[in-house]
Amino acid sequence: MFSKACEYGIRAAVYIALQSLEGRRVSVNEIAEEIDSPIAFTAKILQQLSRNNVIHSVKGPTGGFEIERTDMETVKLNLIVKAIDGDQIYVGCGLGLKECDADKPCPLHDKFVDIRTDLRHMLESTSLYELATGLEVGLTYLKR
Amino acid sequence: MFSKACEYGIRAAVYIALQSLEGRRVSVNEIAEEIDSPIAFTAKILQQLSRNNVIHSVKGPTGGFEIERTDMETVKLNLIVKAIDGDQIYVGCGLGLKECDADKPCPLHDKFVDIRTDLRHMLESTSLYELATGLEVGLTYLKR
DNA sequence: TATTAATCGGACAAAAATGTCCTTTATTTA
DNA sequence: TAAATAAAGGACATTTTTGTCCGATTAATA
């Protein structure tokens, strides 16, 4: 569904959000350790998220990554997915046809649109804050 | 969503079904031409589908690929997807966690399960016959 | 001001997915 | 029986994704 990069990106962002709720700024090393992902690859992904203003980075000692409380509520998953995987999920025919739309639909068009619409709504309505608080309360888990 | 291989596989299977409805057996070359896919790669995929009894292959002159009328109705898309992409779509955590289930759910677990369930139902309930007749009647299109 | 700790960014490496080529095998038909 | 046709299958090539390494940059602090 999502690329590996995107999976790591979402997990990282949720972890950063969780720690930011506690006022902690976290390093790539800690993030990669906590979400069980390859360090250097994770660093690249965090750069992308930082450039796209999904998370905030601070260089130097005591630096690291954080997300402001307000951003946590504003930033929905679709922003992260877009920053890493691009439009992939939203655009294009399910069967890979170049010319496929409501006018000249592929055999799977309608059924595919339904599912993708649901997915889009889910991503557009789910905030980092929501996911982070679920973790905080112990309702959900991130490790392994 | 699907791999390229899977997209080609579904398109090919639908085209074969359509032609089989007219009593025509079709060659890899014709299939690749009609669904606009790389020939040799398509040949590999057709082999997989043949081995998994999704389609039937006949060697030698006048040979090619076909699908029996009864199979067309029996074979649902999930069979094709499984034959090519394996369990990928059905199994595993949306965020790539190894240990993620209803007991120890990842932050996205429930929302992800919903969407995947919809997708699974769609694939399990859509037959090649249904897709092929849509094409036959001119309601849908396969080219480009 | 030197040291240290952290991200940034570019180049490289490995693995997986996609795609090609060519030989072998099966089968029809002249 | 020989020639022609079509799938089967193995080896190889290319591209994309995933992952690593290392030097440059930034900033805190001793």
Side-chain angles (χ1 to χ4, degrees):
Chain A
M1 187 79 91
F2 304 124
S3 68
K4 273 287 160 201
C6 199
E7 290 177 1
Y8 296 149
I10 295 174
R11 273 149 65 185
V14 174
Y15 180 74
I16 295 167
L18 174 66
Q19 294 305 315
S20 288
L21 282 176
E22 324 266 305
R24 294 188 63 234
R25 194 182 278 163
V26 287
S27 70
V28 181
N29 289 277
E30 176 179 338
I31 295 169
E33 168 73 21
E34 288 299 318
I35 69 170
D36 191 34
S37 66
I39 299 179
F41 192 42
T42 304
K44 294 286 187 219
I45 296 161
L46 292 175
Q47 280 178 43
Q48 282 187 275
L49 294 182
S50 182
R51 262 183 258 132
N52 283 275
N53 300 307
V54 170
I55 60 183
H56 181 228
S57 79
V58 178
K59 277 184 169 186
T62 78
F65 297 91
E66 64 193 5
I67 305 181
E68 311 227 347
R69 173 61 190 266
T70 48
D71 289 341
M72 253 182 248
E73 296 174 38
T74 311
V75 171
K76 309 292 201 248
L77 283 189
N78 73 317
L79 248 178
I80 299 181
V81 174
K82 266 196 182 176
I84 299 174
D85 284 350
D87 283 349
Q88 260 193 329
I89 295 192
Y90 302 112
V91 169
C93 167
L95 296 185
L97 298 180
K98 289 158 210 151
E99 299 169 24
C100 168
D101 49 38
D103 274 350
K104 270 200 132 199
C106 79
L108 216 57
H109 187 80
D110 293 352
K111 302 187 178 206
F112 200 78
V113 164
D114 286 348
I115 291 186
R116 194 146 67 178
T117 300
D118 289 347
L119 177 61
R120 210 186 61 235
H121 286 155
M122 187 271 271
L123 294 176
E124 283 174 352
S125 66
T126 304
S127 71
L128 282 182
Y129 180 75
E130 174 186 348
L131 299 183
T133 50
L135 272 178
E136 201 178 27
V137 176
L139 247 148
T140 57
Y141 304 82
L142 254 191
K143 256 209 152 172
R144 252 129 268 271
Chain B
M1 187 80 89
F2 305 124
S3 67
K4 273 286 160 199
C6 199
E7 290 177 1
Y8 296 149
I10 295 174
R11 273 150 64 186
V14 174
Y15 180 74
I16 295 168
L18 174 66
Q19 293 306 316
S20 288
L21 282 177
E22 324 265 306
R24 294 189 62 235
R25 193 182 277 164
V26 286
S27 70
V28 180
N29 288 277
E30 176 180 337
I31 295 169
E33 167 73 22
E34 287 300 317
I35 69 171
D36 192 33
S37 67
I39 299 179
F41 192 42
T42 303
K44 296 286 188 217
I45 296 161
L46 292 174
Q47 281 178 45
Q48 284 187 273
L49 294 182
S50 183
R51 264 183 256 129
N52 283 276
N53 301 308
V54 170
I55 60 182
H56 181 229
S57 80
V58 177
K59 277 185 167 185
T62 79
F65 296 90
E66 63 193 5
I67 305 182
E68 310 225 349
R69 173 60 190 266
T70 48
D71 290 342
M72 253 182 248
E73 295 174 40
T74 311
V75 172
K76 308 290 201 254
L77 283 189
N78 74 315
L79 250 178
I80 299 181
V81 174
K82 268 196 181 177
I84 299 174
D85 283 351
D87 283 350
Q88 259 193 330
I89 296 193
Y90 301 113
V91 170
C93 168
L95 296 185
L97 298 179
K98 288 159 211 152
E99 300 170 23
C100 169
D101 48 40
D103 274 351
K104 270 199 131 199
C106 79
L108 216 56
H109 187 80
D110 292 352
K111 301 187 179 208
F112 200 77
V113 164
D114 286 348
I115 291 187
R116 195 147 66 178
T117 300
D118 289 347
L119 177 60
R120 210 186 61 235
H121 286 157
M122 187 270 272
L123 294 176
E124 282 173 353
S125 66
T126 305
S127 70
L128 282 181
Y129 181 75
E130 175 186 346
L131 299 183
T133 50
L135 272 178
E136 201 178 26
V137 176
L139 247 147
T140 58
Y141 305 82
L142 255 191
K143 258 209 150 172
R144 250 128 269 271

